[in-house]
Amino acid sequence: MESLDGTSWDVLISGTGLQQSLLALALSRSDKKILHLDQNGYYGGQEAAFSLQEAEEWAEHNRNLPSYLFQNAAILTDILPDSQPALSFSRAYSLALAPQIIYTRSPLLQTLVSSKVYRQLEFQALGNWYIFKPDDLIKSNSSGDTRLGGEQNGGGYLVKVPNGREDIFLAEDIDLRAKRSLMNFLRFVGDFENQTEKWDSYRTQPLPVFLIDQYRIPEELHEPLLALTLSPNDPEATTTEFALPRIARHLRSIGVFGSGFGAVIPKWGGLAEISQVACRAGAVGGTVYVLNRAVRTIASTSGASGDDSTLFTVTLDDGSVVKSSWVVGTDVDLPPVSDEPRPPTVSKRTIASLSRSISIVASPMTSVLPPVAENAPVPAGTLVVFPTGSLVSEKTNDTNTKNPPVHVIIHSSDTGECPDGQAILYASTAAVGDDAFALLETAVHHVLKSVGEHAVPRLLWSMRYEQSAGHENATIGGVEGLEVAANSRILRFNPTSLDLALDDSLLERVKSVWQEIMGPEASGFMEFEDRLGTALGDDGDVV
């Protein structure tokens, strides 16, 4: 392409993470002149998805030059004693750096429909959820149990989390009194916002305290409810205020798009696919995209012709100098403004980190992916929760009852992320260091031992790394996670949340930035008509 040097733009967006890409989509019908850069050679930012070769190159680069968000990446090469079964070719894989599930009531899904890009995306159901139970914690059960695996494979079982009231009624390992307590709690949580008198005094107390005091739910039934919160913390650190809206979100989402399931997975690489589709829509609208191009400095100058607008002089890493009226990105993508430092009172820093691993296994993992209900689709993913204290590290032989939970999201080949006959295991825990990596490795091994297959599935490839959340910005204009510089035309998103489920407030931050750029009178956020020549008629032909 032609040199950018000396060009002027209405909006410069740096980074192609989900938030910046959705902003590009929102502005794609605005007639504004937009330059969208990324310092990386790939789309997606922290939500990127890689082929095998790209993942290995990324890990090597990260090892030599750790980034603001990712550290200590490594490929584990001593997994197999021989080469059979083998990995497929590099591009047969699409490995997500930060996979998240999307609940079916997420406003993002509604927005993808109203913006007309949903036709370029495909979503698949997330199936049953499981809790890992060590052998010594499993009680004898009848033939109607919901366990997978067993002592013949060593270690423990995967126990299905009840998927609503019907599962609770049918469960043969829950006594009648406990069933009544659970049903009363589920009725409450469906309308908990209007019953604050029941839980207000428990806001900062652990959820188990509330469950016992208010509903007499026995301790052995706390783990399924804690699992639905997707809490990264141990039970004592999972507050009632944190847990109730997340349990309600899960239950309210079941059945929205089909029987039995309440969350979906974007096909072909998770959130990275949404980012790429949004960027393609931006390109159709005239946005100019340039990869491998970083912002080095930003300086503000007075507006032309005596007006009070601000025009930024932006120097790129190839020496090009461009001008823009607005600059948007994250702290990863944007440097401080050289002549107008951001006031230190604007943000508060609360660093959070995860250890992650991505493992390719030689099994379709079909035993954990049955349809969740009659007439329900075959799911493409499932989730396994290892509660606090359920793991003994195979390397340290130590059980720490205060270790955070470990979550393992399993994706089948139906996600397009691996070849047929294989699956991807995404493991994470809210701790860092060698002990955390050892917990992830142990969790993956237990999943493979506990899925009930005759031969334990083999691990073909694995990568591990640490991810930081960056800093959490103060509330600006009623929207959390958005920082506005003093001149109000440099807008910085927080890095995407490390939660296992998409943070729905992300879309509010995108809308807030869009509103700042478009002006207070703008309306119709992400509400587009089909472009001429892109809509499909009833016969499937373009109209």
Side-chain angles (χ1 to χ4, degrees), residues 374-537:
E374 187 176 356
N375 300 320
V378 176
T382 188
L383 187 142
V384 180
V385 181
F386 289 80
T388 293
S390 65
L391 285 176
V392 177
S393 170
E394 295 177 358
K395 290 192 173 181
T396 64
N397 197 34
D398 175 53
T399 299
N400 184 342
T401 58
K402 289 303 181 182
N403 277 334
V406 175
H407 296 87
V408 181
I409 303 175
I410 302 172
H411 285 192
S412 75
S413 61
D414 288 342
T415 61
E417 297 176 14
C418 62
D420 290 344
Q422 298 180 14
I424 310 295
L425 274 59
Y426 296 101
S428 62
T429 189
V432 294
D434 290 341
D435 288 348
F437 285 140
L439 279 180
L440 297 184
E441 186 174 338
T442 301
V444 168
H445 288 169
H446 275 304
V447 169
L448 298 181
K449 291 176 182 178
S450 303
V451 294
E453 298 188 13
H454 177 70
V456 177
R458 300 189 59 186
L459 196 59
L460 301 179
W461 182 95
S462 186
M463 178 172 75
R464 68 187 193 189
Y465 51 96
E466 295 170 357
Q467 183 180 3
S468 300
H471 77 263
E472 181 179 345
N473 291 315
T475 300
I476 303 294
V479 178
E480 292 186 355
L482 173 65
E483 182 177 322
V484 183
N487 50 47
S488 80
R489 284 178 173 258
I490 298 178
L491 306 170
R492 298 174 188 260
F493 291 115
N494 268 352
T496 307
S497 165
L498 298 186
D499 289 349
L500 291 174
L502 182 76
D503 176 12
D504 288 335
S505 66
L506 173 149
L507 196 61
E508 285 300 313
R509 295 194 290 273
V510 174
K511 183 177 181 180
S512 180
V513 172
W514 173 84
Q515 196 82 60
E516 287 279 340
I517 293 171
M518 296 299 297
E521 302 302 318
S523 60
F525 173 69
M526 295 272 208
E527 297 176 4
F528 301 150
E529 298 296 327
D530 283 308
R531 293 185 186 274
L532 185 64
T534 62
L536 294 178

Side-chain angles (χ1 to χ4, degrees), residues 231-501:
S231 173
N233 302 313
D234 66 73
E236 292 302 309
T238 300
T239 66
T240 302
E241 184 176 34
F242 172 92
L244 292 181
R246 286 159 175 81
I247 296 173
R249 173 184 63 181
H250 181 95
L251 297 175
R252 292 167 181 171
S253 297
I254 294 174
V256 172
F257 292 147
S259 178
F261 69 94
V264 294
I265 307 165
K267 192 172 181 178
W268 308 116
L271 300 180
E273 184 66 11
I274 300 177
S275 294
Q276 291 212 42
V277 166
C279 288
R280 286 199 291 269
V284 171
T287 297
V288 172
Y289 282 86
V290 183
L291 299 181
N292 288 312
R293 189 71 72 245
V295 174
R296 282 291 172 256
T297 64
I298 307 172
S300 59
T301 59
S302 299
S305 304
D307 63 32
D308 58 0
S309 65
T310 300
L311 194 64
F312 296 101
T313 299
V314 181
T315 303
L316 308 181
D317 60 353
D318 67 343
S320 299
V321 177
V322 302
K323 295 185 182 298
S324 182
S325 298
W326 295 87
V327 179
V328 184
T330 69
D331 278 347
V332 176
D333 310 295
L334 298 176
V337 181
S338 57
D339 59 352
E340 190 173 6
R342 288 179 287 149
T345 56
V346 171
S347 63
K348 55 183 180 180
R349 292 190 173 268
T350 55
I351 302 296
S353 297
L354 290 178
S355 290
R356 293 188 181 272
S357 70
I358 304 174
S359 302
I360 302 172
V361 300
S363 167
M365 303 293 283
T366 52
S367 64
V368 292
L369 294 168
V372 297
E374 187 176 356
N375 300 320
V378 176
T382 188
L383 187 142
V384 180
V385 181
F386 289 80
T388 293
S390 65
L391 285 176
V392 177
S393 170
E394 295 177 358
K395 290 192 173 181
T396 64
N397 197 34
D398 175 53
T399 299
N400 184 342
T401 58
K402 289 303 181 182
N403 277 334
V406 175
H407 296 87
V408 181
I409 303 175
I410 302 172
H411 285 192
S412 75
S413 61
D414 288 342
T415 61
E417 297 176 14
C418 62
D420 290 344
Q422 298 180 14
I424 310 295
L425 274 59
Y426 296 101
S428 62
T429 189
V432 294
D434 290 341
D435 288 348
F437 285 140
L439 279 180
L440 297 184
E441 186 174 338
T442 301
V444 168
H445 288 169
H446 275 304
V447 169
L448 298 181
K449 291 176 182 178
S450 303
V451 294
E453 298 188 13
H454 177 70
V456 177
R458 300 189 59 186
L459 196 59
L460 301 179
W461 182 95
S462 186
M463 178 172 75
R464 68 187 193 189
Y465 51 96
E466 295 170 357
Q467 183 180 3
S468 300
H471 77 263
E472 181 179 345
N473 291 315
T475 300
I476 303 294
V479 178
E480 292 186 355
L482 173 65
E483 182 177 322
V484 183
N487 50 47
S488 80
R489 284 178 173 258
I490 298 178
L491 306 170
R492 298 174 188 260
F493 291 115
N494 268 352
T496 307
S497 165
L498 298 186
D499 289 349
L500 291 174

